[in-house]
Amino acid sequence: MPRYRVGETPAIRIVHLNGPTFEALAQGDLAAANAVSPVPLPAPFADAEWCGLWQLRSRQAEEDPASAAWVTGAIWDERRHLSVGIAGYHAPPDLSGMVEIGYAVEARHRRQGYARAALEALLRRAAHEPQIRTVRVSISPTNLASYRLASQYGFIEVGEQMDEEDGPEIIYEVAADKL
């Protein structure tokens, strides 16, 4: 399939997955996930690299089924009709109105504008959700591409943290009313 031209923004939507899809992906069972997923998912979704994420999302959806509408979904390319990565919030807004954004694009689909399109979709939603006051993103100090992208949308550094899975991260935030 043709790639997008430089500067062309892909037409995407974030398709939220459901508890059974999370559960199947957590077990590495792509066939079972695709049997219940709202869109076809590619093999990398069931890779061991993302297994921990799916286990977490499966637990979240089991404990709070409504959280599935907030957490990790597929980045769905409307023109090409394929899933190119994942994006969503880590959880519904917390009591202070904060949500944290997460996204990842499959290696073969990088540098085509998908991360930007996913970030913009998440920021648009945050700007229109009255309960969201702050949007956060945590980025590895070595991930310059993500830092450059986030900095274009008004995110400012507010601290650091040690993530159990990802290691050291710099925390950036932007007020939802500034989006």
Side-chain angles (χ1 to χ4, degrees), residues 100-119:
E100 184 167 354
I101 287 177
Y103 54 88
V105 176
E106 283 185 66
R108 66 185 172 144
H109 297 297
R110 290 185 185 143
R111 306 201 49 80
Q112 296 180 52
Y114 289 115
R116 176 179 303 279
L119 177 60

Side-chain angles (χ1 to χ4, degrees), residues 1 3 21 30 34-35 47 61 82 104 109 111 114-115 121 130 146 149:
M1 288 191 173
R3 294 168 58 105
T21 304
L30 184 62
N34 274 319
D47 284 351
L82 77 146
H109 297 297
R111 306 201 49 80
Y114 289 115
S146 280
L149 178 59

Side-chain angles (χ1 to χ4, degrees), residues 123-174:
L123 292 175
R124 267 193 312 277
R125 179 177 180 189
H128 290 97
E129 292 280 356
Q131 68 269 42
I132 297 178
R133 291 192 281 290
T134 305
V135 180
R136 174 180 286 180
V137 63
S138 301
I139 302 171
S140 165
T142 62
N143 190 341
L144 294 179
S146 280
Y147 164 74
R148 287 184 189 124
L149 178 59
S151 68
Q152 294 173 31
Y153 294 88
F155 283 91
I156 57 168
E157 183 176 339
V158 297
E160 298 178 3
Q161 68 183 14
M162 180 60 75
D163 186 270
E164 291 179 14
E165 290 184 28
D166 299 328
E169 296 177 329
I170 301 172
I171 303 167
Y172 301 90
E173 293 181 349
V174 65

Side-chain angles (χ1 to χ4, degrees), residues 55-124:
Q55 289 170 352
L56 172 63
R57 298 301 177 238
S58 180
R59 284 191 304 274
Q60 279 179 295
E62 186 176 322
E63 293 169 9
D64 176 16
S67 71
W70 288 93
V71 299
T72 311
I75 302 171
W76 179 255
D77 184 318
E78 295 282 8
R79 188 178 92 190
R80 296 171 68 192
H81 300 281
L82 77 146
S83 298
V84 298
I86 57 174
Y89 305 103
H90 291 207
D94 67 13
L95 294 176
S96 70
M98 191 275 295
V99 290
E100 184 167 354
I101 287 177
Y103 54 88
V105 176
E106 283 185 66
R108 66 185 172 144
H109 297 297
R110 290 185 185 143
R111 306 201 49 80
Q112 296 180 52
Y114 289 115
R116 176 179 303 279
L119 177 60
E120 287 178 357
L122 292 167
L123 292 175
R124 267 193 312 277

